[in-house]
Amino acid sequence: MGLFSGRKTVYVDSDVLVIGGGMAGCGATYESRFWGRDKKVVVVEKANIERSGAVAQGLYAINCYMGMQWDENQPEDHVRYARNDLMGLVREDLGYDIARHVDATVHMFEEWGLPIMKDPKTGRYQREGKWQIMIHGESYKPIVAEAARKAATKVYNRIMVTHLLMDKTKPNRVAGAVGFNVRSGEFYVFRAKAVIVAAGGASHIFKPRSVGEGMGRTWYAPWSSASAYALPILVGAKMTQMENRIVLTRFKDGYGPVGAYFLHLKTYTENAYGKEYESTWYENTKELVGDYVDRQPVPTCLRNHAFLEEVKAGRGPIRMVTKEAFQDPHLETIGWENFLGMTVGQAVVWAAQNIDPKQTNPELTTSEPYVMGSHATCAGAWASGPEDYAPDDYQWGYNRMMTVEGLFGAGDTIGGTAHKFSSGSFAEGRIAGKAAVKYVNDLGTDEPQVSEEEYENLRKVVFQPLENYKVGSNEIVAGTVSPSYLLPLHGLQRLEKIMDEYVGGISAHYTTNEPLLTRGLELLAMLKEDLNHLGAEDLHQLQRAWELQHRVLASESVTHHTMFRTETRWPGYYYRGDHMKLDDNDWHCFTLSRYDRQSDKWEMEKAPVYHIVD
Ligand SMILES: Cc1cc2nc3c(=O)[nH]c(=O)nc-3n(C[C@H](O)[C@H](O)[C@H](O)COP(=O)(O)OP(=O)(O)OC[C@H]3O[C@@H](n4cnc5c(N)ncnc54)[C@H](O)[C@@H]3O)c2cc1C
């Protein structure tokens, strides 16, 4: 008991609590302050917002910019684009809402000092593609974080949030969150009137291609640990499209991005024998998905599908033809700079493997699947839409509020809205911040109350892995093996193996079926039992333990959703081997889930897809 009683508890009160200080969290903080001058706006971040989240290392392009000031695109065009890419299924109300606000967000970034490249002929932002503009973005995150720091009442860095707190007077209303300082070990109780979850997406759900010493090298940030999903799931918020994991075609071993190569350098791919291969798989793809294969641009998943089939046919590896473009010194510079501002590791990998893209066409690969809501994918929480645009079925309260009262989300957290990227996530954070302040104002004196019993119980639960380790380490049989506890790394590897083999990871060629999913759920249930015996040697391992807990719950959600949707909607992302075709009659809909933590049961249902834009 000494472990629990000696630990200090810090209490923090706020009007709006923002969990996660990445792109969406910074946007939420900035806008909460704008609308709530007198409000207490608190940010809690497990790293340091200066360099946290998926944009930590910088970016080379802002992937979501309409260019309405030059009539380049309109919000409706972006909705059509995202809908097409996601094989018909997006929340058009939410997507439209982001698209109509995203340009203003980008203009603010420029005002705050982000260098955006200009086309010397037109004076407009330099386009990389229809939606992308090019930036010198090494300092993108510090620039955005500065705005959030100035707007926040206080930023609490190095605190990992483990659970949300619920109101003791109203069962479906949020009242705050708890977590611990990953450096000092203090326990934090955040009491809040509104909570905005902006905790990023999820890597290390499925086994990565790089294992052992290279396991930290994933495409999505290795520290994106599914808190964005687990926190709302645990308190009963509905989730949507969690089956819609994303697989990326990237440069092999370094996960270097290919967008600038395709769009700006005009490079193209070929098989091992120097042949174009996408057209070879046209008929096969049409068989599976019908007319969706004829859409322009070809949906991301279908391009993956052709790649995967070509490799399975024995004509891999697929290579990016860089030798031609790299003869032009300007394009060569762009090619390298693209990595230096965003994925330095790819340049290092090429150097280490003697690959000079001027002389050798580098190999591409398809990544392990990731779960997230802001890229060419849309897993996440089911949120209420904008008052002026959302159909009635999508509106039950404040914009971006989940199905739990007072609980908002943005960025990777929110489902159904693909292709928001860094700028759209920040813009969505702003939308959520504005709505959260309105919610707080409307509460009046009806404020949520946290229950002391609830947070005192959680305090024991949160630090239990330290206790398990302290007791169990006396029984170590060899090396790190103890009969009494499971280390976070071992638990993570077990999770990744289950998801990989049963839920459609790389070793299963992204394929699963009902018997596999059934067994996967059984194995996940056994893993969940063992998580009660996680052992953490120190605070760093305690953080790993809670990241694992969050990943496991999100994985369970992914598995239930994948089981529920009995079709293959996104070949190239995953395949239901027992339902290989897209089925618009039965499945042109969203999948929704709700977890009940008392019974440990999941309920699944369908929700309609409304096409608001023609
Ligand atoms: C490799 C890569 C390349 C990309 N390329 C581009 C590009 O070229 N252009 C573009 O526009 N976009 C790009 N994106 C997408 C962009 O980075 C994301 O859309 C955006 O960062 C999502 O914002 P977010 O706030 O939801 O998540 P993040 O920005 O990842 O922020 C989440 C934050 O939550 C914190 N957090 C997580 N869990 C907890 C917890 N339990 N407690 C406290 N804090 C927590 C994290 O530390 C992090 O700071 C790319 C992403 C990646 C990974």
Side-chain angles (χ1 to χ4, degrees):
M1 287 308 291
L3 195 67
F4 300 127
S5 53
R7 209 164 275 285
K8 190 174 153 197
T9 301
V10 181
Y11 299 91
V12 179
D13 289 310
S14 60
D15 292 298
V16 178
L17 175 68
V18 179
I19 301 177
M23 289 306 290
C26 288
T29 308
Y30 175 85
E31 200 72 10
S32 296
R33 171 59 66 231
F34 183 86
W35 295 99
R37 298 278 155 183
D38 56 337
K39 297 282 179 283
K40 196 164 179 211
V41 181
V42 165
V43 184
V44 51
E45 162 60 52
K46 71 175 178 178
N48 184 317
I49 68 165
E50 187 73 5
R51 281 274 176 198
S52 71
V55 179
Q57 204 181 127
L59 293 179
Y60 197 68
I62 286 177
N63 283 354
C64 182
Y65 180 74
M66 304 298 114
M68 283 185 273
Q69 59 175 322
W70 301 302
D71 204 19
E72 292 177 331
N73 297 290
Q74 294 304 321
E76 289 84 352
D77 301 325
H78 194 259
V79 172
R80 289 185 196 104
Y81 165 64
R83 177 174 68 198
N84 180 52
D85 199 50
L86 269 289
M87 308 290 281
L89 311 185
V90 285
R91 278 281 301 269
E92 297 186 12
D93 59 325
L94 300 181
Y96 178 85
D97 201 20
I98 293 169
R100 66 179 162 180
H101 293 300
V102 74
D103 282 12
T105 280
V106 172
H107 301 159
M108 285 193 331
F109 293 162
E110 191 176 30
E111 234 174 79
W112 297 340
L114 179 71
I116 303 182
M117 296 185 208
K118 301 269 166 48
D119 181 327
K121 287 198 203 94
T122 62
R124 298 178 182 181
Y125 294 153
Q126 175 72 54
R127 283 276 178 197
E128 184 185 84
K130 188 169 168 58
W131 306 103
Q132 299 83 355
I133 54 172
M134 297 169 77
I135 58 175
H136 292 289
E138 188 277 339
S139 299
Y140 190 6
K141 186 64 209 300
I143 289 168
V144 166
E146 186 183 345
R149 260 203 324 271
K150 287 179 175 159
T153 309
K154 188 157 169 111
V155 177
Y156 290 84
N157 286 315
R158 306 282 172 211
I159 292 167
M160 161 133 196
V161 172
T162 56
H163 300 81
L164 296 175
L165 290 171
M166 296 304 277
D167 179 15
K168 67 178 179 194
T169 62
K170 276 195 184 169
N172 190 39
R173 188 161 80 165
V174 76
V178 298
F180 65 97
N181 186 305
V182 301
R183 296 280 163 87
S184 68
E186 285 159 345
F187 184 61
Y188 273 78
V189 176
F190 294 96
R191 294 176 289 225
K193 294 177 193 160
V195 174
I196 303 174
V197 176
S203 60
H204 285 289
I205 294 272
F206 289 84
K207 189 171 99 190
R209 288 204 183 268
S210 301
V211 291
E213 57 80 29
M215 74 169 285
R217 208 187 308 128
T218 49
W219 170 76
Y220 215 56
W223 51 81
S224 295
S225 55
S227 301
Y229 312 120
L231 294 171
I233 287 172
L234 258 182
V235 296
K238 284 188 184 176
M239 306 302 285
T240 189
Q241 303 296 88
M242 291 295 282
E243 69 279 21
N244 177 232
R245 74 293 292 274
I246 185 170
V247 169
L248 293 300
T249 296
R250 287 291 180 268
F251 285 113
K252 189 166 178 299
D253 297 334
Y255 294 95
V258 295
Y261 279 71
F262 279 129
L263 298 170
H264 197 72
L265 276 63
K266 308 286 181 223
T267 59
Y268 54 92
T269 57
E270 61 181 29
N271 70 14
Y273 303 97
K275 297 273 182 307
E276 181 278 331
Y277 61 91
E278 283 192 6
S279 56
T280 313
W281 299 102
Y282 175 81
E283 290 303 332
N284 160 289
T285 314
K286 189 145 187 141
E287 243 328 79
L288 297 178
V289 301
D291 293 345
Y292 286 94
V293 70
D294 297 319
R295 307 269 170 97
Q296 285 302 325
V298 177
T300 311
C301 63
L302 299 185
R303 299 187 68 169
N304 283 352
H305 175 69
F307 184 122
L308 293 171
E309 291 302 308
E310 187 70 3
V311 172
K312 275 197 264 171
R315 292 188 290 272
I318 304 299
R319 293 201 173 92
M320 181 76 96
V321 180
T322 51
K323 285 200 282 192
E324 295 163 14
F326 271 62
Q327 302 311 317
D328 175 338
H330 170 67
L331 295 183
E332 184 184 13
T333 306
I334 300 269
W336 285 109
E337 277 184 0
N338 183 237
F339 294 152
L340 297 179
M342 172 156 63
T343 316
V344 180
Q346 185 64 56
V348 178
V349 167
W350 280 356
Q353 296 182 347
N354 279 348
I355 295 169
D356 176 354
K358 211 171 178 172
Q359 318 290 342
T360 310
N361 291 327
E363 279 177 58
L364 298 171
T365 192
T366 50
S367 74
E368 58 281 356
Y370 300 91
V371 182
M372 55 182 296
S374 69
H375 213 273
T377 179
C378 62
W382 185 239
S384 189
E387 293 76 6
D388 63 334
Y389 205 69
D392 289 348
D393 280 356
Y394 297 166
Q395 242 188 99
W396 52 89
Y398 297 79
N399 202 353
R400 266 50 174 203
M401 192 172 87
M402 302 183 202
T403 54
V404 169
E405 247 183 89
L407 182 59
F408 295 77
D412 279 330
T413 307
I414 294 296
T417 49
H419 289 279
K420 47 196 164 193
F421 292 99
S422 61
S423 47
S425 294
F426 189 97
E428 194 173 39
R430 294 179 65 191
I431 293 167
K434 181 178 177 184
V437 169
K438 182 165 187 332
Y439 168 83
V440 170
N441 284 336
D442 292 350
L443 276 180
T445 53
D446 178 24
E447 293 178 9
Q449 307 288 320
V450 299
S451 141
E452 190 177 342
E453 190 189 350
E454 187 186 6
Y455 67 71
E456 281 304 331
N457 282 340
L458 285 173
R459 187 178 144 90
K460 293 200 179 90
V461 170
V462 167
F463 294 108
Q464 188 63 45
L466 291 175
E467 183 79 1
N468 291 346
Y469 184 87
K470 203 170 161 193
V471 174
S473 55
N474 293 325
E475 303 165 15
I476 285 177
V477 286
T480 54
V481 180
S482 163
S484 306
Y485 58 68
L486 176 72
L487 293 178
L489 179 63
H490 296 162
L492 180 67
Q493 287 167 339
R494 198 164 131 194
L495 170 70
E496 289 176 345
K497 184 171 158 64
I498 296 169
M499 295 303 285
D500 180 58
E501 293 175 351
Y502 293 94
V503 193
I506 45 175
S507 68
H509 290 296
Y510 308 100
T511 305
T512 185
N513 59 28
E514 188 180 338
L516 282 166
L517 292 163
T518 305
R519 184 60 185 152
L521 284 170
E522 286 167 5
L523 292 170
L524 284 173
M526 292 177 215
L527 174 58
K528 264 172 82 174
E529 277 176 30
D530 289 348
L531 294 185
N532 294 329
H533 305 288
L534 275 173
E537 187 180 359
D538 52 26
L539 290 169
H540 184 71
Q541 290 304 317
L542 188 64
Q543 179 178 354
R544 293 285 174 266
W546 282 103
E547 288 176 342
L548 175 63
Q549 293 271 10
H550 290 175
R551 284 185 163 111
V552 170
L553 196 60
S555 299
E556 230 191 340
S557 173
V558 169
T559 311
H560 278 287
H561 275 258
T562 309
M563 177 83 99
F564 186 59
R565 185 180 283 284
T566 51
E567 65 159 353
T568 298
R569 167 72 43 175
W570 306 278
Y573 284 175
Y574 78 95
Y575 302 84
R576 276 287 305 248
D578 46 353
H579 299 279
M580 275 300 279
K581 290 193 179 177
L582 180 145
D583 173 6
D584 256 343
N585 287 336
D586 286 330
W587 290 102
H588 197 92
C589 63
F590 296 115
T591 55
L592 301 189
S593 65
R594 187 177 178 279
Y595 176 66
D596 176 24
R597 66 174 148 175
Q598 307 307 334
S599 63
D600 193 28
K601 294 262 179 315
W602 296 78
E603 269 172 35
M604 302 298 308
E605 62 179 307
K606 292 179 177 180
V609 172
Y610 290 113
H611 295 301
I612 307 167
V613 171
D614 57 19

